[in-house]
Amino acid sequence: PDTPLELIPELYRKAAVAQTRWGQLPLESRASLVLSGVNALEANALPLAELISTEMGKPVRFARNEIERTVQEGRYTLEHL
């Protein structure tokens, strides 16, 4: 769905507030939240790969590889903060 133009300034403001709050969290807290997201990607790799395949026409195995690379890169980044 398209976002009505009149909503964009408020959405931008909310995003700026969220970014400020995110930046105020200690690094350990942010890393823990990102790790939760990485773990969720890993735990749901197959259904997400199937969704990517359905929406983008990519073979499931390629989509699964893409998710696995994202998980690996996320873990690598978290280990090297």
Side-chain angles (χ1 to χ4, degrees):
D2 294 336
T3 302
L5 289 176
E6 62 272 8
L7 294 181
I8 291 175
E10 178 62 15
L11 294 172
Y12 179 84
R13 186 194 67 72
K14 287 180 178 182
V17 169
Q19 175 59 40
T20 299
R21 289 181 181 160
W22 175 257
Q24 291 171 343
L25 289 174
L27 180 60
E28 296 79 16
S29 297
R30 287 181 277 159
S32 177
L33 290 166
V34 171
L35 180 58
S36 294
V38 169
N39 289 338
L41 276 175
E42 186 174 45
N44 295 286
L46 183 56
L48 289 170
E50 291 169 346
L51 178 63
I52 290 169
S53 178
T54 298
E55 290 186 352
M56 301 188 67
K58 184 180 288 195
V60 172
R61 73 175 195 270
F62 292 164
R64 180 89 186 243
N65 289 341
E66 186 176 324
I67 293 165
E68 289 173 4
R69 277 193 315 275
T70 301
V71 167
Q72 291 171 356
E73 290 171 7
R75 290 192 192 287
Y76 178 87
T77 299
L78 289 168
E79 290 170 6
H80 294 88
L81 290 177

